[in-house]
Amino acid sequence: MYILMVELRGRPERLDELESVLRSLAAVAGTEPGIACYAAQRREDRPDVFLLCEWYRDEAAWEAHMALEPVREALGRFDALLAAPPGITRCAPVALACWQA
């Protein structure tokens, strides 16, 4: 598995737009066979901070995701939407229990 945890801090005046972009990225990810999980969350105590959990089958699946036109377009908007560069952490799986909400 190729797992990324991403923290995004949005510009206060652009938070709704950032949330919309993240929803569209999740919709695209839901169609990709190489993605096991793609989840976007918003911190309750810091509404300007979004956390992404991205589980790819392997690094090639992540590369395929990043090459998609809708993903490239969304990432191209991040400079205007984010107050700071994304914080990206590569993770190794330890334990997992998932269910459909």
Side-chain angles (χ1 to χ4, degrees), residues 10-77:
R11 295 181 189 271
E13 70 278 9
R14 308 291 294 269
L15 297 177
D16 290 341
E17 188 178 352
L18 178 56
E19 183 174 324
S20 177
V21 167
L22 295 177
R23 288 180 184 277
S24 70
L25 284 172
V28 169
T31 68
E32 296 176 61
I35 295 181
C37 178
Y38 191 99
Q41 293 81 216
R42 193 170 188 174
R43 284 184 53 171
E44 291 183 355
D45 62 333
R46 297 256 330 263
D48 63 321
V49 176
F50 295 82
L51 303 169
L52 306 179
C53 176
E54 305 178 20
W55 285 59
Y56 300 91
R57 180 185 59 237
D58 52 28
E59 190 170 358
W62 172 75
E63 291 170 352
H65 171 75
M66 296 301 286
L68 293 174
E69 184 62 28
V71 174
R72 290 194 328 232
E73 288 176 8
L75 295 179
R77 297 173 64 189

